[in-house]
């Protein structure tokens, strides 16, 4: 009998290890021959720890399970046959999962993350095998044709980066994965690394084969100890089996992969600061040009993509670019794992094609606010993303449609606030975040953020607000146009969206022109 208990950090934080231990003890006491599989999370966090029992009809889900529930649960499942109060029915029939389009996260929660056999039984390494049968330029063309854009937030076409690195002439090239997932309310990278690590290894190895790189680094934030441990174990297994490392499935090519533990700075999620950090220096942003595709890690041509970008590649190679472009709208092809958090009833990961609306995510999936109060503001795209008011909740979520209303989709993080939120305090938080996390290289960000906090404090004190708001707008304009990197230039997004859409929270009686 196979019983699944997630090993994902979110499930562990909610007691998954204790539930697994209780299952082990109780099963032995009953003489049940169980195989306890520690799978990835299905991404329905309000149900964690989610226990699944394999049956001839499919997996039956129970959640959220506490250690004290295990005895009753086993009685119901294996003795009485009566429906247990935590029984949710067949996992595959759960509406939250059924309504998704899981391409990248298709194996999430289904397989044992560290089983190569399980991975291959679920289409794993099919993309790499196909890549090895193609020429490097044909691989790059597949990625170009798929329209895959960087999922870390910048949305730059991945194929163009790959093509640039492939064409660069150098004895040493690198593949670098940015897994410094620092945006508030985001966790898709972590889930992918903890729940399906071979997928990332496969995507990076395909990039190496396509560009001629022989060395790769995965830069994982230090706050993700489980992801770091899982990736290290997965790399060792994949290399030993010939899917990475030396002699990639006897092609004669090599690709060595290492995990680098990040240093804990938000700015190291900026690609050039990350490169500095991997090189052992302080994480300070580099001026561009030169672009990292030509002069990146240790001054060599480097492909830098985030976890979900690389993780999207295997299915593109395995099923072809046309399969991928069937999902999404316009220039936003494929799917995005949206991450629903904050004041929301059913928070979790929802992989859907671009084009879904925020309203569908908030209500069809999220079930409204956790507090039961009206939702007032939704921050999309991390701490530097805009606050989105209700009038934009029906705009299709794709890069272009969102940009047209001044919002970035970013890494797909969605943080919900109900009507008790004070947007002037949230705007202050954004400025303070920038002041704390600034690398200090350029003045608009280093000094501007500190002055921004002071201006917002004066506004909160009701000190000549119209004048202070004018000053705040001027400051945001300077940060937007004068900052060297996105930390400084995007901090105005939450500040100005709060000011424009919720002027009453800034003591302004009349709506401010947008
Ligand atoms: Fe550093 Fe901020 Fe300038 Fe970026 S905008 S380079 S984080 S000081």
């Amino acid at each position: 009998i196979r019983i699944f208990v997630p090993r994902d950090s979110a499930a562990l934080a909610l007691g998954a290890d204790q539930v697994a231990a209780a299952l082990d003890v109780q099963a032995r006491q009953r003489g049940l021959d169980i195989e306890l599989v520690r799978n990835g999370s299905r991404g329905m966090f309000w149900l964690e720890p989610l226990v699944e029992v394999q049956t001839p009809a499919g997996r039956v889900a129970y959640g959220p399970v506490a250690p004290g529930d295990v005895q009753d649960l086993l009685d119901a499942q294996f003795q009485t046959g009566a429906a247990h109060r935590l029984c949710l029915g067949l996992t595959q029939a759960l509406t939250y999962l059924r309504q998704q389009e899981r391409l990248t996260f298709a194996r999430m929660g289904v397989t044992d993350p560290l089983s190569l056999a399980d991975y291959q039984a679920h289409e794993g390494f099919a993309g790499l095998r196909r890549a090895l049968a193609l020429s490097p330029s044909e691989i790059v063309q597949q990625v170009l044709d798929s329209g895959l854009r960087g999922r870390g937030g910048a949305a730059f076409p991945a194929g163009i980066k790959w093509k640039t690195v492939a064409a660069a002439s150098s004895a040493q090239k690198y593949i670098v994965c940015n897994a410094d997932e620092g945006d508030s309310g985001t966790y898709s990278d972590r889930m992918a690394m903890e729940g399906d690590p071979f997928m990332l290894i496969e995507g990076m190895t395909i990039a190496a084969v396509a560009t001629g790189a022989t060395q790769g680094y995965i830069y994982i934030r230090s706050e993700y100890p489980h992801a770091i441990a899982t990736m290290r174990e997965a790399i060792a297994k994949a290399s030993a089996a010939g899917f990475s490392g030396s002699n990639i499935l006897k092609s004669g090519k090599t690709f060595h992969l290492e995990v680098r533990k990040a240093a804990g700075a938000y700015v190291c999620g900026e690609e050039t600061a990350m490169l500095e950090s991997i090189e052992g220096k302080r994480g300070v942003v580099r001026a561009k040009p030169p672009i990292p595709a030509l002069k990146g890690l240790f001054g060599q041509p480097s492909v830098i993509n985030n976890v979900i970008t690389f993780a999207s590649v295997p299915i593109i190679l395995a099923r072809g670019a046309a399969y991928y472009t069937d999902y999404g709208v316009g220039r936003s092809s494929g799917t995005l794992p949206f991450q629903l958090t904050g004041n929301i009833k059913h928070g979790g990961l929802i992989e859907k094609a671009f084009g879904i609306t925020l309203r569908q995510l908030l209500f069809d999936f999220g079930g409204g606010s956790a507090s039961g109060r009206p939702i007032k503001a939704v921050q999309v795209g991390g701490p530097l993303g805009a606050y989105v008011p209700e009038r934009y909740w029906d705009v299709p979520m794709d890069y272009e449609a969102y940009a047209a209303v001044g919002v970035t989709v970013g890494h797909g993080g969605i943080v919900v606030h109900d009507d008790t939120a004070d947007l002037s305090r949230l705007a202050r938080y954004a400025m303070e975040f920038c002041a704390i996390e600034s690398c200090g290289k350029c003045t608009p960000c280093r000094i501007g953020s500190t002055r921004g906090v002071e201006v917002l404090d004066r506004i909160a004190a009701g000190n000549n607000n119209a004048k202070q708001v004018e000053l705040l707008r001027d400051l945001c304009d300077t940060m937007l146009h004068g900052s060297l990197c996105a930390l400084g230039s995007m901090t105005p997004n939450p500040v100005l969206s709060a000011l424009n859409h919720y002027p009453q929270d800034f003591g302004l009686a009349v709506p401010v022109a947008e």
Side-chain angles (χ1 to χ4, degrees):
I1 305 161
R2 298 186 95 199
I3 301 183
F4 299 79
V5 182
R7 51 182 287 158
D8 178 274
S9 293
L12 295 180
L14 291 163
D17 273 349
Q18 290 79 354
V19 171
L23 274 164
D24 190 43
V25 170
Q26 293 278 339
R28 267 195 272 125
Q29 283 175 0
R30 289 158 191 258
L32 282 174
D33 182 16
I34 67 162
E35 180 195 351
L36 206 52
V37 181
R38 301 305 302 271
N39 58 337
S41 172
R42 297 279 189 167
M44 300 180 289
F45 293 134
W46 75 100
L47 295 175
E48 293 289 4
L50 183 83
V51 172
E52 295 175 77
V53 181
Q54 185 79 57
T55 73
R59 290 190 198 171
V60 175
Y62 294 87
V65 177
D69 298 319
V70 167
Q71 190 169 349
D72 284 358
L73 191 156
L74 291 177
D75 282 346
Q77 182 67 42
F78 298 108
Q79 283 174 0
T80 66
H84 189 270
R85 68 189 164 82
L86 297 176
C87 184
L88 304 161
L90 291 174
T91 315
Q92 69 213 43
L94 293 174
T95 312
Y96 202 85
L97 287 176
R98 219 165 16 87
Q99 290 182 340
Q100 298 192 34
E101 292 156 303
R102 288 202 166 182
L103 304 185
T104 309
F105 281 75
R107 281 177 296 267
M108 188 58 58
V110 176
T111 55
D112 175 345
L114 287 168
S115 165
L116 276 168
D118 222 357
Y119 184 65
Q120 291 182 86
H122 292 83
E123 218 179 333
F125 292 119
L128 177 61
R129 289 183 198 280
R130 169 131 192 274
L132 290 170
L134 300 175
S135 69
S137 61
E138 286 171 328
I139 301 171
V140 171
Q141 196 58 48
Q142 283 290 307
V143 179
L144 281 167
D145 292 347
S146 74
L148 177 67
R149 291 163 73 177
R151 300 293 192 244
F156 187 81
I160 292 178
K161 279 189 188 176
W162 289 31
K163 192 175 179 180
T164 308
V165 175
S169 163
S170 174
Q172 179 67 62
K173 299 177 187 177
Y174 295 103
I175 306 296
V176 184
C177 177
N178 186 343
D180 195 46
E181 187 176 46
D183 281 358
S184 44
T186 61
Y187 43 81
S188 60
D189 293 358
R190 181 189 58 70
M191 278 184 71
M193 291 187 287
E194 292 178 358
D196 199 5
F198 295 125
M199 170 173 65
L200 175 57
I201 294 169
E202 184 179 356
M204 292 182 72
T205 308
I206 293 169
V209 172
T211 58
T214 54
Q215 177 71 40
Y217 294 95
I218 309 174
Y219 185 79
I220 307 178
R221 65 185 313 213
S222 57
E223 295 88 341
Y224 283 176
H226 298 290
I228 290 171
T230 307
M231 282 311 312
R232 285 191 168 140
E233 202 175 330
I235 289 168
K237 286 189 173 186
S239 299
F243 293 106
S244 196
S246 301
N247 221 351
I248 304 165
L249 291 190
K250 300 194 173 68
S251 67
K253 299 177 195 287
T254 60
F255 179 56
H256 296 287
L257 202 44
E258 273 180 44
V259 168
R260 282 295 166 95
K261 186 163 123 181
Y266 181 77
V267 78
C268 288
E270 196 282 336
E271 61 179 4
T272 61
M274 176 186 68
L275 296 179
E276 292 284 300
S277 179
I278 295 174
E279 290 178 13
K281 302 175 206 155
R282 189 174 148 222
V284 176
V285 174
R286 295 179 187 170
K288 287 189 265 191
I291 57 169
L294 295 175
K295 268 185 148 231
L297 189 62
F298 300 110
Q300 302 302 321
S302 307
V303 169
I304 304 172
N305 284 131
N306 109 308
V307 174
I308 301 302
T309 316
F310 282 124
S312 302
V313 169
I315 197 168
I316 291 169
L317 266 294
R319 299 194 188 180
Y323 177 85
Y324 197 71
T325 54
D326 274 350
Y327 294 86
V329 283
R331 289 184 54 230
S332 304
S333 70
T335 59
L336 189 70
F338 296 97
Q339 302 129 81
L340 207 46
T341 56
N343 192 339
I344 191 81
K345 201 166 162 193
H346 295 154
L349 182 129
I350 302 145
E351 184 176 354
K352 282 294 280 183
F354 288 98
I356 190 172
T357 66
L358 200 46
R359 195 181 298 279
Q360 288 172 299
L361 288 170
L362 295 175
F363 295 100
D364 296 353
F365 285 94
S369 70
S371 62
R373 300 183 66 89
I375 295 174
K376 176 177 178 179
V378 185
Q379 191 175 29
V380 179
L384 311 181
Y387 286 98
V388 185
E390 184 166 3
R391 67 175 176 277
Y392 295 150
W393 292 357
D394 297 307
V395 173
M397 295 187 82
D398 70 68
Y399 295 122
E400 278 65 43
Y402 255 43
V405 293
V407 185
T408 51
V409 177
H411 187 45
I414 296 169
V415 181
V416 181
H417 298 271
D418 74 9
D419 64 350
T420 60
D422 177 346
L423 271 291
S424 74
R425 288 184 59 199
L426 291 173
R428 184 193 190 279
Y429 171 76
M431 278 292 188
E432 189 182 24
F433 179 82
C434 181
I436 291 168
E437 297 292 346
S438 169
C439 84
K441 184 154 181 164
C442 62
T443 311
C445 168
R446 185 183 72 246
I447 304 294
S449 52
T450 298
R451 295 289 92 87
V453 171
E454 293 164 1
V455 174
L456 281 159
D457 280 343
R458 288 200 288 273
I459 290 172
N463 185 354
N464 192 4
N465 279 11
K467 176 93 184 138
Q468 295 302 323
V469 164
E470 195 186 327
L471 190 58
L472 184 63
R473 286 186 181 282
D474 192 34
L475 184 60
C476 284
D477 193 54
T478 304
M479 290 177 74
L480 175 66
H481 295 104
S483 298
L484 185 59
C485 86
L487 178 48
S489 67
M490 288 183 67
T491 293
N493 287 342
V495 176
L496 292 178
S497 58
L499 186 58
N500 290 337
H501 303 310
Y502 307 92
Q504 66 280 11
D505 288 6
F506 293 80
L508 301 171
V510 286
V512 179
E514 290 175 29

